Amino acid sequence: PTANGVEQQFGINHLGHFYLTKLLLPTLKDTAKEGSRIINLSSAAHTFTHPGYDFSKVPLTKNEYEPTLAYGISKASNILFTLELRKRLAGSGVIAVSGHPGVIHTNLGYEEPLVYFMFAYLYPAVEKVLGRKFTKTIPQGASTTMCMALHDVKYDKSSWTDGLYWADCEPFSNEKFPGSVNEEVVYNEKQAKSLWDRSEAILESTSI
């Protein structure tokens, strides 16, 4: 767990972002005319979250814990948080968007044997067989984030999910890339509100 007793992946990947964003909201609203924008980096791993998961009960308990599922829930939380932000900030001029930067080839996690094996041996072998690369360099990985920061993003109450989730420098959709977005989970307004309410309750119950 984190120092505050919260499941670590959820605490680091979502709750810290949630808390920081709430602290910054007054400033973001005051500077909306200058183009205030909230960008939450998620991951394709959000699809690890099964459709029946209830975000009013996050995070996983010790008995429920499974690393891959916990990571998926934390990344789905990034998108759901963005969805709820859009609704709560409607009319303020502040834009909220989330995205998947890609599988980036860095030294992050190299101290873990499995991560080292994947980047040093597995991914290069698969790329050689397929004849194409699916990992990205650091500049390539940063490009989607830059697009989310600089491109025009429009949405309203008729469709809060327009341009909600980006990858490869453009809004991602299951029409273009089947199965790439777990829409049943992350395009769910009820779940987005449940996550927000639960996140506030956790913050209130800790020493944060």
Side-chain angles (χ1 to χ4, degrees), residues 10-149:
F10 180 78
I12 292 172
N13 291 338
H14 165 68
L15 199 60
H17 301 59
F18 179 84
Y19 182 53
L20 176 61
T21 303
K22 288 200 69 177
L23 293 177
L24 292 173
L25 280 180
T27 301
L28 289 167
K29 291 177 181 178
D30 288 343
T31 57
K33 290 184 178 179
E34 283 71 53
S36 297
R37 189 169 295 208
I38 300 166
I39 299 171
N40 289 313
L41 289 189
S42 180
S43 168
H46 78 272
T47 57
F48 297 163
T49 309
H50 56 77
Y53 185 73
D54 183 356
F55 280 83
S56 70
K57 298 179 179 178
V58 289
L60 295 175
T61 65
K62 185 175 181 180
N63 291 333
E64 295 172 329
Y65 187 79
E66 193 282 314
T68 302
L69 176 58
Y71 184 68
I73 289 170
S74 73
K75 294 287 96 182
S77 294
N78 298 143
I79 306 173
L80 287 168
F81 173 39
T82 307
L83 175 56
E84 185 66 11
L85 273 171
R86 288 183 164 198
K87 297 177 69 177
R88 290 174 182 258
L89 293 173
S92 70
V94 181
I95 298 295
V97 63
S98 63
H100 168 54
V103 180
I104 316 300
H105 196 162
T106 69
N107 291 329
L108 182 65
Y110 258 42
E111 69 279 3
E112 294 291 334
L114 178 59
V115 175
Y116 179 80
F117 171 76
M118 290 169 65
F119 278 99
Y121 300 103
L122 180 61
Y123 289 159
V126 172
E127 290 173 342
K128 186 175 181 180
V129 170
L130 295 178
R132 66 181 182 87
K133 292 185 70 66
F134 60 88
T135 58
K136 295 183 177 182
T137 64
I138 293 173
Q140 288 172 336
S143 61
T144 294
T145 304
M146 294 301 296
C147 287
M148 289 190 289

